Amino acid sequence: EAAVYASVLSLFKEADQIDLCFLVDTTGSMHPWIDTVKGSITSLWKRINRHFEASKDIRLAFVGYSDFDKLRQERTRVVKFTSSQTNYLRELSGIQASGGGDLAEDVMGGLCAVLDDLAWRENGTKILIHIADCPCHGREFHDNSISDDYLHGDPEGKHHHDVMGRLAENGIQYFFGKITDKTDRMVQVFDVSLREQSHQQMCITTFNATSGNTDQFKRTLESIVMQSTQRSLHVSI
């Protein structure tokens, strides 16, 4: 995973403005990971401030998504970008894992919230860290072992090609925390689309997020942002 860490570190080093958003599945099975994300924020924030110049303008956001067993207004929870650790943690404290009927989730709704409900800065470096244990709706994104009430795809007509195109257009670097193999096909399909629409300049970078242990997961998140390398990779958009 050294290449993953070096990639994110290089993004941080090259930017004065940094927007980082966590996109997390908040259905019931994700309870350990939601808690570990919350528990990692304070340490992560401290290390960012300690290792980078005070002049760097860093903001964090959070988008949680669930599934269509909830009302539209309850399916996504958005914590907008803020540079205040206190405000960020206060908003996160109200987010809990709940719900989920079939295994497939409203991933498209979460990604659309990332694009529509957050004010990403035009000239800043933009990083999305997506953590999930199940794929989105549609037989294209999983095998028959995944229960899915919407095998024809997103019931609201959202399409991954449009979403990946918007991520590419906005220059949002996409990192995916893999918990299970259930998401493999989805990430592969997303990655192909993102590469095509960015003319091979962008891709989805996957890292291991299998542990729900707070300390281990905290170290993983910190390493993604802070890992020192003798040679930083230059990531161009």
Side-chain angles (χ1 to χ4, degrees):
E1 295 179 355
V4 178
Y5 304 149
S7 296
V8 182
L9 183 65
S10 67
L11 290 173
F12 271 73
K13 282 185 174 179
E14 294 173 6
D16 292 323
Q17 292 184 335
I18 300 159
D19 287 344
L20 188 155
C21 174
F22 289 98
L23 172 65
V24 182
D25 175 355
T26 57
T27 56
S29 62
M30 287 291 293
H31 175 76
W33 286 271
I34 294 171
D35 283 351
T36 53
V37 168
K38 292 178 181 178
S40 300
I41 295 302
T42 299
S43 177
L44 179 65
W45 209 303
K46 285 180 179 178
R47 293 197 63 183
I48 290 173
N49 288 331
R50 184 166 65 246
H51 284 78
F52 293 99
E53 297 89 344
S55 61
K56 288 193 181 293
D57 184 0
I58 302 169
R59 305 188 307 170
L60 265 63
F62 181 97
V63 173
Y65 63 88
S66 53
D67 204 10
F68 293 97
D69 59 321
K70 293 187 177 182
L71 297 174
R72 180 192 295 268
Q73 63 270 24
E74 298 175 348
R75 286 203 302 268
T76 57
R77 294 287 303 274
V78 177
V79 177
K80 295 183 182 295
F81 280 117
T82 178
S83 56
S84 168
Q85 178 183 328
T86 301
N87 291 343
Y88 190 73
L89 291 173
R90 182 175 61 246
E91 293 289 338
L92 282 187
S93 66
I95 296 176
Q96 304 293 332
S98 65
D102 57 355
L103 283 178
E105 310 295 5
D106 184 22
V107 177
M108 295 299 176
L111 285 167
C112 285
V114 166
L115 290 161
D116 296 333
D117 297 341
L118 297 178
W120 297 86
R121 290 176 289 194
E122 182 177 356
N123 297 320
T125 290
K126 306 156 197 167
I127 300 173
L128 175 65
I129 297 179
H130 183 185
I131 303 168
D133 63 353
C134 286
C136 59
H137 291 286
R139 59 170 56 91
E140 178 181 4
F141 304 102
H142 56 74
D143 60 29
N144 293 331
S145 68
I146 304 296
S147 58
D148 188 348
D149 293 338
Y150 305 99
L151 286 172
H152 294 294
D154 186 273
E156 295 181 341
K158 302 182 188 74
H159 196 278
H160 76 278
H161 196 68
D162 298 329
V163 174
M164 293 302 112
R166 293 180 63 194
L167 288 174
E169 181 181 358
N170 284 278
I172 299 173
Q173 301 291 315
Y174 194 159
F175 294 83
F176 184 81
K178 176 181 174 176
I179 297 172
T180 70
D181 293 340
K182 297 182 179 70
T183 55
D184 285 354
R185 186 180 297 183
M186 176 188 74
V187 173
Q188 181 181 25
V189 173
F190 283 6
D191 184 60
V192 169
S193 180
L194 185 59
R195 288 175 185 269
E196 288 177 349
Q197 297 190 80
S198 66
H199 306 290
Q200 306 302 315
Q201 295 300 303
M202 297 175 66
C203 66
I204 297 176
T205 305
T206 302
F207 64 94
N208 183 9
T210 54
S211 176
N213 177 273
T214 301
D215 290 337
Q216 183 174 340
F217 194 71
K218 183 190 301 182
R219 288 193 296 270
T220 300
L221 288 180
E222 291 175 352
S223 294
I224 290 174
V225 179
M226 306 304 307
Q227 178 83 15
S228 296
T229 58
Q230 293 182 348
R231 180 181 177 186
S232 294
L233 299 179
H234 178 69
V235 179
S236 60
I237 298 173

